[in-house]
């Protein structure tokens, strides 16, 4: 294992990629009506997600990509933030049982 410190630009790009992952995952779940659920379904998604072109983009390219979808970086980061707040609240509720 190595210590890896991201630049501010790399960190922003990583957060925006993650926001796109959240959007893509939500859409993937909605469009794929299968018997698979949870982590099993996510494994199918993950294969496609890791091949998606956003992973080879640097921040300036990601910012252009965002414009293509009609979002602002701030909107995507807000979606990401809300996702993790909701996930934490859900996990806290399930931990109580």
């Amino acid at each position: 294992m190595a210590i890896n410190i991201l630049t501010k630009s790399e960190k922003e790009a990583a957060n925006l990629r993650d926001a796109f992952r959240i959007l893509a995952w939500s859409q993937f779940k909605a469009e794929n009506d299968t018997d698979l659920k949870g982590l099993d379904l996510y494994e199918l998604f993950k294969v496609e997600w890791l091949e998606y072109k956003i992973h080879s983009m640097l921040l300036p390219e990601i910012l252009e990509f965002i414009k293509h979808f009609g979002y602002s970086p701030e909107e995507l980061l807000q979606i990401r933030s809300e996702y993790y707040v909701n996930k934490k609240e859900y996990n806290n509720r399930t931990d109580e049982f």
Side-chain angles (χ1 to χ4, degrees):
M1 293 169 102
I3 295 174
N4 187 19
I5 300 172
L6 300 177
T7 65
K8 186 175 181 178
S9 175
E10 291 168 333
K11 180 67 175 167
E12 185 176 357
N15 287 340
L16 291 169
R17 275 187 209 98
D18 189 45
F20 266 108
R21 180 194 59 81
I22 291 163
L23 290 177
W25 170 233
S26 295
Q27 191 65 34
F28 187 87
K29 288 189 299 185
E31 292 177 355
N32 290 280
D33 185 23
T34 71
D35 292 332
L36 297 175
K37 302 290 180 208
L39 293 177
D40 293 328
L41 184 59
Y42 190 82
E43 286 303 315
L44 284 178
F45 167 78
K46 184 178 173 183
V47 170
E48 290 188 39
W49 174 247
L50 291 176
E51 294 174 359
Y52 200 66
K53 61 186 173 183
I54 198 169
H55 296 289
S56 64
M57 295 179 184
L58 298 175
L59 182 58
E61 296 166 301
I62 293 173
L63 294 174
E64 283 300 314
F65 193 65
I66 289 169
K67 287 180 191 176
H68 173 76
F69 285 92
Y71 290 99
S72 70
E74 295 78 19
E75 287 173 309
L76 286 176
L77 294 174
Q78 182 63 36
I79 289 168
R80 180 180 182 270
S81 177
E82 289 170 6
Y83 172 83
Y84 285 112
V85 166
N86 291 337
K87 184 176 179 178
K88 182 178 180 182
E89 288 174 0
Y90 175 80
N91 288 339
N92 286 342
R93 283 195 310 267
T94 58
D95 288 343
E96 294 173 0
F97 298 106

